[in-house]
Amino acid sequence: MAELRPIAPAFVVPGPSGVAVRDRLKRLAPADDEVLRLVGAHLGALASADLKTRCADGLEHSTGTWAARKRELTAHSSARWAGAITKASHDQWALARRGQDDHIRDLQAAIAMITCRLSLPVGKKGTRKEPGGYRSAREWFAKSRRLHLLQDRLQRRRADQQAGRVRVVRGGKRLARARHHLEAAGLTEAEWRQSWEAERWFLAADGESGKRYGNETIRITPDGRVSIKLPVPLAHHANAPHGRYVLACRVAFAHRRNEWADRIEANRAVAYRIHLDAARDRWYITASWQILAAPAVPMPTALAHGVIGVDTNADHLAAWRLDVHGNPIGNPRRFCYDLFGNAEHRDAQVRHALTRLLHWARACGVNAIAIEDLDFQAEKTREKHGRRKRFRRLISGMPTSRLRARLTSMADQSGIAIIAADPAYTSKWGAQHWQKPLTTKTRTTTRHDAAAVAIGRRAQGHPIRRRTAPPPAHQSDEQGHRTIQAGPDARGREGPRPRIPGPRTRSVPPGHGANAGDQNAQHRSERSAEHMHLVLSP
């Protein structure tokens, strides 16, 4: 058996630390739509210029340069708008910096993999732990060229990292590239321009505790009336005192409305973001705030009523309920989703599948759901699985991070604990120990269903195999059955074993079977029968 990697212990996933709810701005007046577009375009231009300045500062950024940028923006907007814009620029630069570090690590891993495989003979087979050589000389030559390409790219990225340079596209790189492929994106030039401008607008304001309703820039009253503090150049559009513009519509957050109302009535910080969905021509507003993470539920408490093991796949979730002893109860369940389409469709599919899973868990009375702690970042690289494109697409399509974040957030409101288990060997051992025993004439158990049982048992602390070895006092070796057998060189080892009084099986009545192991007695009985037959014959 190959050496197994150590199995990490299961743990309870901590709850979310923030909340975000969204509502649509319905029945906007034409003047409201015009003002929102003007404010978003004006602040978006300021945000683009500030982000450019922040990226130019690089590692030379300091509190002095931050204050200078904020004073310059204040003259064209307001102090609070300037604070929101500079903070967004800092967050964007930091995000790009982290992405740059991840890209460098991926390049280093790819270069190491190609270098290792190029050093091996062409056609050498790989093992489970070490890769093999390339299949042909043609592939070896192509990979040698790619190695030089990746090395040059790594050198440029390291130079950017040392200089503090990052590359950011306000509006998104994917949408920017779609401008050159409008037919493939299914957009006209006018539609693309509208989407591009809408993504580059800026209508977001962080909350501030102690201020009226938790936000002075974008304010929402308890009755749902929305008002915006206009920038100085657009103050002539105000329809309320103090340079504010009140929208004609009202909002009512259906999800977590009571929590939101409690916060704004207590004047606690709430951040708002207004954005336009250009494809639907609809305005939305998102409210977000921080919450204290709930204390983690102790593992024995979470597993007091059993657990539901969930196996994550590219198109469905395979789930099975287990009792406190790790035995499957009932039939497996499957929650399907479709991850083809845009991001909103995929997110809705994941939410719908998780909602059905949580409803089933509440109906079963289970307080914990066990999932795999999956991370395919190292498995998606083309250098490790270059020819296995189908496998790469399969693991790339699994919504591991999105599903875990969604499940943790949704389960927090349901009172259900999420337990993350190590995914090592769950599919293999589940199919080995559970797929065949759980298959009946009326139920076909798949490999994914068996993996769900293995995940649940690992979360409970049970071994994946169905039965463990009995204690030494009950093993046959200690009771004198196998270890005291005659060796292959012992004389007379083919003889019968010493007879043990009593029946040998349940089907033998007491007092019978005395000559079961005595071959001579059986031969004597056969000879006596033949003798009686000869005597009685005429």
Side-chain angles (χ1 to χ4, degrees):
M1 180 181 295
E3 183 180 357
L4 304 179
R5 74 168 181 84
I7 307 298
F11 61 93
V12 179
V13 180
S17 59
V19 175
V21 294
R22 190 180 73 164
D23 196 10
R24 181 186 171 189
L25 299 176
K26 298 180 180 179
R27 294 181 293 275
L28 281 175
D32 298 343
D33 183 80
E34 181 182 359
V35 169
L36 289 176
R37 291 175 181 271
L38 290 175
V39 174
H42 177 72
L43 296 177
L46 296 179
S48 299
D50 182 71
L51 180 60
K52 180 180 179 180
T53 305
R54 175 64 188 90
C55 293
D57 291 341
L59 301 178
E60 302 298 330
H61 169 73
S62 63
T63 56
T65 58
W66 187 358
R69 288 168 35 223
K70 186 174 180 181
R71 284 193 301 267
E72 183 179 356
L73 291 174
T74 302
H76 299 88
S77 56
S78 67
R80 288 188 172 85
W81 279 121
I85 291 174
T86 53
K87 184 179 182 300
S89 299
H90 287 299
D91 294 342
Q92 190 70 37
W93 187 88
L95 179 61
R97 187 75 170 175
R98 293 194 296 270
Q100 186 182 63
D101 296 340
D102 294 339
H103 185 43
I104 289 177
R105 284 194 292 269
D106 292 341
L107 290 175
Q108 292 174 345
I111 291 174
M113 178 63 68
I114 295 178
T115 304
C116 178
R117 298 189 66 180
L118 288 176
S119 63
L120 299 175
V122 176
K124 181 180 179 180
K125 299 294 184 180
T127 61
R128 183 181 295 271
K129 295 183 179 181
E130 297 181 359
Y134 289 108
R135 297 187 179 182
S136 62
R138 181 179 179 181
E139 185 178 6
W140 187 96
F141 176 72
K143 289 299 181 179
S144 64
R145 296 186 62 185
R146 178 167 174 78
L147 176 62
H148 292 290
L149 176 66
L150 295 179
Q151 289 175 346
D152 294 341
R153 190 178 300 174
L154 177 61
Q155 185 177 1
R156 292 195 300 268
R157 296 298 177 268
R158 283 177 174 172
D160 292 342
Q161 185 184 39
Q162 294 175 1
R165 290 190 299 266
V166 296
R167 290 168 172 80
V168 182
V169 180
R170 289 201 71 247
K173 182 175 65 175
R174 180 176 300 177
L175 188 58
R177 290 181 174 178
R179 173 63 181 86
H180 307 285
H181 308 280
L182 294 177
E183 295 183 1
L187 299 172
T188 63
E189 185 176 353
E191 292 174 346
W192 178 88
R193 179 64 59 182
Q194 186 178 6
S195 301
W196 175 253
E197 292 177 352
E199 290 294 332
R200 291 170 64 86
W201 289 345
F202 187 89
L203 276 170
D206 296 332
E208 189 176 356
S209 296
K211 300 298 180 180
R212 189 178 182 186
Y213 301 133
N215 199 314
E216 283 287 341
T217 309
I218 301 177
R219 180 186 299 165
I220 303 180
T221 59
D223 58 351
R225 189 170 293 278
V226 183
S227 63
I228 302 174
K229 176 67 175 179
L230 296 178
V232 174
L234 302 175
H236 59 279
H237 292 282
N239 60 359
H242 308 292
R244 305 191 69 87
Y245 187 89
V246 181
L247 302 179
C249 66
R250 296 176 183 268
V251 298
F253 298 105
H255 183 56
R256 296 180 182 252
R257 175 176 176 80
N258 294 332
E259 298 181 28
W260 168 79
D262 293 341
R263 289 192 68 88
I264 64 173
E265 290 179 356
N267 296 330
R268 300 178 63 185
V270 179
Y272 296 105
R273 176 178 176 265
I274 301 176
H275 57 283
L276 172 66
D277 187 348
R280 299 180 178 180
D281 195 18
R282 295 178 179 178
W283 287 94
Y284 294 91
I285 184 169
T286 303
S288 57
W289 62 89
Q290 293 182 350
I291 60 175
L292 295 176
V297 180
M299 188 72 75
T301 304
L303 299 174
H305 302 285
V307 68
I308 291 180
V310 178
D311 179 55
T312 306
N313 300 282
D315 58 349
H316 72 280
L317 299 175
W320 207 320
R321 180 188 175 190
L322 281 69
D323 61 9
V324 294
H325 305 289
N327 300 317
I329 301 176
N331 293 320
R333 298 289 298 270
R334 176 171 292 190
F335 306 95
C336 301
Y337 44 77
D338 181 15
L339 297 181
F340 293 96
N342 54 23
E344 294 182 356
H345 173 75
R346 297 194 301 269
D347 190 62
Q349 289 286 313
V350 171
R351 289 200 313 269
H352 183 55
L354 295 181
T355 300
R356 290 181 291 157
L357 173 63
L358 292 174
H359 288 173
W360 180 52
R362 284 196 297 267
C364 296
V366 177
N367 298 332
I369 295 177
I371 62 173
E372 298 173 289
D373 190 10
L374 294 174
D375 184 14
F376 289 128
Q377 289 302 121
E379 301 294 333
K380 297 179 183 179
T381 59
R382 57 184 292 188
E383 311 306 336
K384 187 172 184 180
H385 305 287
R387 291 179 175 266
R388 303 172 63 185
K389 293 184 179 180
R390 184 177 180 181
F391 178 74
R392 286 163 50 197
R393 292 193 186 102
L394 176 65
I395 60 179
S396 297
M398 291 187 181
T400 54
S401 58
R402 184 188 307 119
L403 186 143
R404 178 169 169 177
R406 283 287 184 187
L407 181 57
T408 303
S409 178
M410 297 171 66
D412 182 66
Q413 295 298 310
S414 305
I416 298 177
I418 305 300
I419 302 176
D422 195 323
Y425 316 110
T426 52
S427 297
K428 179 179 179 180
W429 291 352
Q432 178 182 355
H433 297 289
W434 289 98
Q435 184 175 6
K436 185 177 180 180
L438 293 177
T439 301
T440 62
K441 296 181 178 180
T442 59
R443 180 179 64 200
T444 302
T445 303
T446 64
R447 185 183 184 92
H448 307 299
D449 300 332
V453 177
I455 294 168
R457 290 180 63 89
R458 178 167 290 175
Q460 291 177 313
H462 301 312
I464 293 181
R465 63 173 57 195
R466 292 187 299 129
R467 295 177 180 177
T468 58
H474 300 277
Q475 293 180 2
S476 58
D477 288 349
E478 185 171 339
Q479 302 299 328
H481 173 62
R482 294 175 181 167
T483 56
I484 61 172
Q485 287 182 349
D489 299 333
R491 301 186 62 179
R493 61 186 180 89
E494 298 294 341
R497 297 176 181 172
R499 182 187 182 281
I500 301 177
R504 299 294 299 271
T505 62
R506 295 182 180 178
S507 60
V508 180
H512 294 72
N515 297 328
D518 192 350
Q519 302 295 331
N520 296 327
Q522 295 179 7
H523 295 326
R524 286 195 302 270
S525 62
E526 293 175 359
R527 288 195 297 271
S528 61
E530 294 176 358
H531 178 71
M532 292 292 296
H533 178 71
L534 294 174
V535 171
L536 297 177
S537 58

